Amino acid sequence: MKRVFVCLILTLLAAPVFSQDLLEGALLTQYKKDKEKSDAKIQDAKANTKAATWMERAKLYENIALLRDTTEVIDTDPANKAIEAYKKVVELDVTKKGDPGKLAKEANDILSGEKETQLYNAFINQGIKQFQSKNMQGAMESFAKAHDVFKADTTGALYAAISAQQIENHEAAIKNYAGYVKNGGKDPSAFYGYAQLYKSKQDYENAVMVINQGLKVNEGHKDLMAEKVNILLAAGREGEAIKELSDLTEKDPSNVINLTNLGILYDNAYSKYSREIAELEDKLAEAGGQKNRLAADLEQEKSKIDIYNGEIQRLSARIKAQPKNNDLKRQLEEVNKSKKETEDAIAKIEADIKAAEEKEKSVDKSALQSRISELKAKKEESKRNAMATYEKAIGVDPNNYDALFGLGAIYYNEGVELKREVDNMNMQEYQQKGKEVESKVCGKFKKSRPYFEKAAAVNPDSDAKVTLDNINNIIQQVESKNIPCTE
């Protein structure tokens, strides 16, 4: 049967204010009666072999599924009942030649998925009601079925994916998002949600691929472009992230968020290069340092041998004069034992020196020095870019806390490095160049101070206030020595 309202036409004409709720109530009553009749036919051995019986049942269940949400539920899964009935029509309506009959052709046309049908709408409506009642598993299945019965569908696929995410069925969500995209879906939030599924599995290649698909149909979409940067960062692809964010700042130079984030990326690269340089310099120093330390230890151990030999000679002479003196014999035995231990230590150190020499040969000092030079150039470039970008952000928003703090921190950290150099000096080194370096320390901290002062004013409870107090203390210490600040 078709969903028709013939019986209600007179009422509608007589009462134009007839509400949708009353209409749905009338349909509910009618469909309950129709279902009782259909159930009876299905139980009838003769009627249930007729294709018309099942076609009528398929239409009925379609209409039940298309009802709005009502207080009474005729059937919890009417759309699937409809599709099963259509399949039964195809099975029963066969001509004597074995070809599909008229009803079977109609059913096949509906089941083929080539066009949007009432069956498709039935699954969509059923999914909506299940979604609204928080039955996410049922909603996912209904929306996915809608996608199956209409090949060009995007609505069912999208909501099937969203429902699947709600119950953390990531594989089903990915499958349905893929169907949505394949059929030409364009909603940016769908691409965002789709990408998050891959990102959560640390499958960054596919996450970026999805975002790129979204950007292809939503060119220049800010949220998608920003998320692409986040994914690249999560994947450790900082260089690509910087490139993407640089493009964003060029397109929208007044976007202070993008400028600040770009500054932070350059700043992070600057810090990363600093760490790598320190590690390589330690490795370079270690290459020759270990051998030198061992050589000093060897000389110290060898000097003990002369002492032991002298003591052995002295005790041997005394024992010769006093052959019955057991105490002298005990002393000689202890000295010989100590000499043997020292000889063993010398042998080990000599073996260690040989191993250190072999290790030193395996270290390509030239390559290390070349790499350090390369990293220093990248470090300086990253620092310049970070500072320039922070300055741009402050130009757009003078009260941007992150940019103020970041710019101040660059000068501050340079001051810390110089101060560490002073702290590691011995007295002679300090007398030679200590005050000159301290003057530069003071200069770096003075350069950083205005930025931290502004940042602390913007956010009084932040780390900027603590850092500012530290800066002022160090400047005061240097100036108390009558050392001028050199900027």
Side-chain angles (χ1 to χ4, degrees):
M1 62 171 284
K2 295 181 180 180
R3 178 171 180 169
V4 292
F5 312 118
V6 176
C7 62
L8 300 172
I9 288 176
L10 293 176
T11 310
L12 286 169
L13 290 172
V17 294
F18 187 84
S19 73
Q20 183 68 20
D21 287 338
L22 289 175
L23 176 60
E24 291 290 324
L27 289 172
L28 178 67
T29 301
Q30 183 63 49
Y31 292 158
K32 284 171 63 180
K33 292 178 181 177
D34 291 342
K35 180 179 178 299
E36 289 175 3
K37 292 177 182 177
S38 179
D39 288 343
K41 285 184 178 180
I42 296 304
Q43 297 301 317
D44 184 273
K46 187 176 180 180
N48 73 7
T49 61
K50 295 179 179 179
T53 299
W54 290 97
M55 177 62 82
E56 185 179 63
R57 188 173 179 84
K59 299 296 184 182
L60 169 64
Y61 274 103
E62 266 182 10
N63 289 333
I64 291 172
L66 286 166
L67 276 172
R68 288 198 312 153
D69 215 2
T70 58
T71 54
E72 185 177 351
V73 178
I74 300 176
D75 193 285
T76 58
D77 192 19
N80 272 308
K81 296 271 182 32
I83 202 170
E84 291 305 317
Y86 278 125
K87 290 178 180 178
K88 195 71 175 176
V89 171
V90 174
E91 177 189 328
L92 294 174
D93 189 24
V94 181
T95 67
K96 292 179 179 179
K97 293 181 179 180
D99 298 326
K102 182 180 178 181
L103 292 179
K105 287 178 181 178
E106 182 183 346
N108 274 325
D109 190 45
I110 292 168
L111 295 173
S112 68
E114 296 299 329
K115 58 186 179 181
E116 184 176 336
T117 63
Q118 286 289 76
L119 180 62
Y120 166 76
N121 293 327
F123 275 110
I124 291 291
N125 198 53
Q126 181 171 293
I128 290 170
K129 289 189 282 188
Q130 290 166 326
F131 191 95
Q132 290 173 340
S133 64
K134 310 299 182 185
N135 177 8
M136 295 302 165
Q137 179 67 31
M140 178 191 74
E141 292 171 359
S142 293
F143 286 130
K145 200 71 176 180
H147 183 59
D148 288 341
V149 299
F150 179 35
K151 293 177 182 178
D153 160 78
T154 54
T155 303
L158 176 58
Y159 286 100
I162 293 171
S163 302
Q165 277 184 297
Q166 294 290 314
I167 55 175
E168 298 186 355
N169 187 338
H170 291 182
E171 293 307 313
I174 287 172
K175 177 183 176 182
N176 284 285
Y177 272 129
Y180 173 79
V181 173
K182 181 182 177 182
N183 285 351
K186 296 181 179 181
D187 191 328
S189 63
F191 287 97
Y192 181 89
Y194 188 8
Q196 295 309 299
L197 293 167
Y198 284 120
K199 186 179 177 183
S200 68
K201 300 197 304 182
Q202 298 184 353
D203 185 351
Y204 301 118
E205 285 295 327
N206 276 318
V208 170
M209 177 199 72
V210 168
I211 293 294
N212 284 337
Q213 288 176 326
L215 288 170
K216 190 173 181 180
V217 294
N218 296 277
E219 188 175 353
H221 193 278
K222 293 179 180 179
D223 291 339
L224 290 179
M225 293 178 78
E227 182 55 20
K228 184 176 180 180
V229 171
N230 291 333
I231 294 169
L232 290 171
L233 288 174
R237 292 156 62 176
E238 292 86 356
E240 292 177 63
I242 287 174
K243 174 67 171 60
E244 292 289 336
L245 204 46
S246 295
D247 291 344
L248 282 177
T249 59
E250 286 179 13
K251 291 176 182 176
D252 187 3
S254 64
N255 188 318
V256 72
I257 295 174
N258 287 342
L259 284 168
T260 305
N261 287 336
L262 181 58
I264 290 170
L265 290 187
Y266 282 130
D267 205 343
N268 289 342
Y270 169 64
S271 299
K272 177 186 173 185
Y273 291 136
S274 297
R275 290 192 299 271
E276 290 181 10
I277 289 167
E279 289 171 3
L280 292 178
E281 286 178 338
D282 287 344
K283 189 174 181 180
L284 191 61
E286 186 182 347
Q290 185 181 15
K291 179 184 172 183
N292 293 335
R293 289 192 298 272
L294 288 169
D297 292 343
L298 182 62
E299 289 303 313
Q300 186 177 358
E301 292 298 321
K302 283 183 174 180
S303 67
K304 293 178 184 179
I305 297 296
D306 291 337
I307 296 172
Y308 291 142
N309 285 337
E311 187 65 8
I312 289 169
Q313 188 176 359
R314 184 185 69 81
L315 289 170
S316 295
R318 291 189 63 189
I319 289 171
K320 190 174 182 180
Q322 303 175 50
K324 294 184 179 181
N325 190 326
N326 291 329
D327 187 52
L328 290 174
K329 291 178 181 179
R330 180 187 57 76
Q331 291 180 40
L332 179 61
E333 184 179 342
E334 288 178 356
V335 171
N336 278 319
K337 181 180 178 183
S338 296
K339 179 183 176 183
K340 178 64 170 61
E341 289 173 352
T342 300
E343 287 172 341
D344 290 343
I346 288 170
K348 184 177 184 307
I349 292 171
E350 286 175 339
D352 289 342
I353 289 174
K354 188 173 181 180
E357 287 173 343
E358 292 299 319
K359 184 178 179 181
E360 187 176 347
K361 289 178 185 177
S362 68
V363 175
D364 190 338
K365 293 183 181 179
S366 177
L368 281 177
Q369 289 167 340
S370 176
R371 178 61 177 159
I372 288 170
S373 297
E374 179 186 336
L375 289 173
K376 282 183 176 179
K378 290 183 177 180
K379 173 186 171 183
E380 286 305 307
E381 182 184 11
S382 296
K383 184 181 82 169
R384 287 194 303 271
N385 286 333
M387 295 175 74
T389 309
Y390 282 143
E391 290 283 8
K392 287 179 183 177
I394 293 169
V396 176
D397 177 12
N399 293 320
N400 186 297
Y401 174 85
D402 290 327
L404 289 165
F405 190 97
L407 193 51
I410 290 175
Y411 290 120
Y412 178 85
N413 289 332
E414 288 181 332
V416 169
E417 285 298 315
L418 288 170
K419 189 174 186 305
R420 187 178 292 118
E421 184 181 328
V422 174
D423 293 341
N424 290 333
M425 289 179 182
N426 56 37
M427 185 59 68
Q428 184 179 359
E429 288 171 332
Y430 184 80
Q431 288 174 347
Q432 290 175 350
K433 58 179 182 179
K435 290 184 178 180
E436 178 186 348
V437 178
E438 276 195 306
S439 177
K440 293 179 181 178
V441 170
C442 183
K444 291 294 183 183
F445 283 123
K446 274 201 169 181
K447 274 191 172 182
S448 72
R449 182 161 60 181
Y451 298 105
F452 283 110
E453 286 175 339
K454 189 68 180 287
V458 172
N459 188 351
D461 298 325
S462 65
D463 291 340
K465 181 65 171 64
V466 177
T467 308
L468 181 60
D469 291 341
N470 193 29
I471 288 169
N472 287 327
N473 288 335
I474 293 171
I475 292 174
Q476 187 177 12
Q477 289 173 23
V478 175
E479 289 181 337
S480 68
K481 300 177 185 179
N482 295 320
I483 298 174
C485 289
T486 305
E487 294 191 15

